[in-house]
Amino acid sequence: MMTIISLLLLVSLLPHLTFTVHVDVGIVNGTEAKPHSRPFMVSLQRNWRHICGGFLISDRFVMTAAHCWKNETLTAVVGAHDLRHNEGPVRIGVKSYHMHPDFNIHTLQNDIMLLRLEKEVEQNKNVMMISIKSKKDIEADSVCHVAGWGRLSFKGKKSYRLMEADVKIMKNAECKDKWKDNFSASQMMCVYGHGGSCNEDGGGPLVCEDTAVGITSFGDPKICNSRERPEVYIKISAYKPWICSIIANVECFLQ
């Protein structure tokens, strides 16, 4: 009887076991960012603890990954560099959570989300929005950048200071070869490099030429920054109509 029950449990878990990825990723083999050199970066926190990254795309909206939200109250911290410092950074509550309606928690398809803040962000030299106006796909081997407050190595120490790393865009064919059916070239992109994403900062931006083109989504469950299982980012340009429908800004439709 116990054997039958065990087999039934295994069968029920198979759909989930076939997709082995790791979310909530941050930076490994990176360097500390110059304080406030990335004023668009947002620390998303639950009970004063950093759980995910995000980035300002308007004075009222933060973009992040859908997997970052688990029906819990989040706070957006803007203007931060060292998360241990309370003076300077501004904490703003989230008024509404806009998860993509087709987000799939098991495959991480459509892993994108918008957070409407309780009040407008006052922009200054430490707090600034970033453009998402990329009109074309980024060419393979282009140098881009990632940043976050995640761990410095897999299961390693956290970084309270913002870290950054240069990465290169991977050819879609190579990424497809590594991730098979888990990768969709129309909705995703991969990167590689000496430094890159690691634990506890999903939702942060992939930035190319001062434009946010991707959202940190998932990677290998056992090792960070592996070319054999590269980090995958949601392609923002694929979601422009949906983004504009949430923001409801006339200028959004004119981009």
Side-chain angles (χ1 to χ4, degrees):
M1 185 67 179
M2 287 302 294
T3 302
I4 295 173
I5 292 173
S6 298
L7 286 172
L8 288 173
L9 283 172
L10 180 60
V11 169
S12 69
L13 286 171
L14 278 175
H16 309 290
L17 295 175
T18 55
F19 188 80
T20 309
V21 298
H22 185 84
V23 296
D24 295 335
V25 290
I27 304 301
V28 65
N29 293 337
T31 56
E32 182 179 344
K34 179 182 177 182
H36 309 298
S37 60
R38 298 179 180 277
F40 49 82
M41 289 295 298
V42 177
S43 169
L44 295 178
Q45 300 187 3
R46 181 179 64 239
N47 298 326
W48 292 78
R49 177 183 175 275
H50 173 85
I51 62 162
C52 261
F55 47 106
L56 279 173
I57 62 168
S58 78
D59 57 8
R60 200 70 185 262
F61 281 91
V62 170
M63 181 172 284
T64 188
H67 76 254
C68 289
W69 187 54
K70 298 174 176 63
N71 292 314
E72 298 163 314
T73 300
L74 298 180
T75 299
V77 179
V78 301
H81 175 67
D82 190 324
L83 297 180
R84 294 169 295 187
H85 296 167
N86 292 323
E87 293 183 12
V90 177
R91 301 178 63 83
I92 305 175
V94 176
K95 182 176 182 179
S96 55
Y97 302 80
H98 302 270
M99 180 183 288
H100 193 280
D102 296 324
F103 169 59
N104 187 315
I105 188 62
H106 304 302
T107 66
L108 295 185
Q109 295 283 324
N110 307 302
D111 189 13
I112 182 172
M113 186 171 191
L114 290 170
L115 308 177
R116 181 181 176 87
L117 302 178
E118 290 180 345
K119 64 179 182 180
E120 290 186 359
V121 173
E122 292 185 18
Q123 295 190 71
N124 53 52
K125 61 184 177 65
N126 294 343
V127 181
M128 217 172 293
M129 69 181 70
I130 187 171
S131 172
I132 56 171
K133 292 184 182 180
S134 179
K135 296 178 180 177
K136 56 183 174 52
D137 286 346
I138 308 301
E139 293 183 5
D141 297 320
S142 297
V143 177
C144 301
H145 319 278
V146 292
W149 287 276
R151 295 183 185 270
L152 303 178
S153 63
F154 192 75
K155 294 186 178 178
K157 286 193 209 174
K158 288 184 180 182
S159 175
Y160 292 100
R161 295 175 180 173
L162 185 66
M163 303 293 286
E164 63 185 6
D166 291 346
V167 294
K168 289 185 177 180
I169 303 297
M170 182 177 283
K171 291 181 175 64
N172 283 333
E174 182 177 355
C175 194
K176 181 72 173 178
D177 181 61
K178 305 298 185 185
W179 282 108
K180 308 302 181 188
D181 291 343
N182 298 326
F183 177 77
S184 167
S186 64
Q187 300 175 354
M188 302 171 181
M189 62 182 80
C190 291
V191 305
Y192 68 96
H194 174 67
S197 297
C198 195
N199 303 13
E200 295 191 3
D201 212 19
L206 172 64
V207 178
C208 303
E209 297 182 350
D210 299 322
T211 300
V213 301
I215 305 167
T216 313
S217 184
F218 65 85
D220 188 273
K222 296 180 180 178
I223 186 170
C224 300
N225 199 39
S226 163
R227 184 147 186 174
E228 287 307 304
R229 297 278 271 180
E231 302 297 338
V232 181
Y233 296 77
I234 295 299
K235 187 182 295 185
I236 296 173
S237 61
Y239 296 90
K240 284 293 183 69
W242 176 76
I243 294 167
C244 289
S245 73
I246 300 299
I247 293 179
N249 183 333
V250 174
E251 292 183 1
C252 191
F253 294 93
L254 300 178
Q255 293 178 8

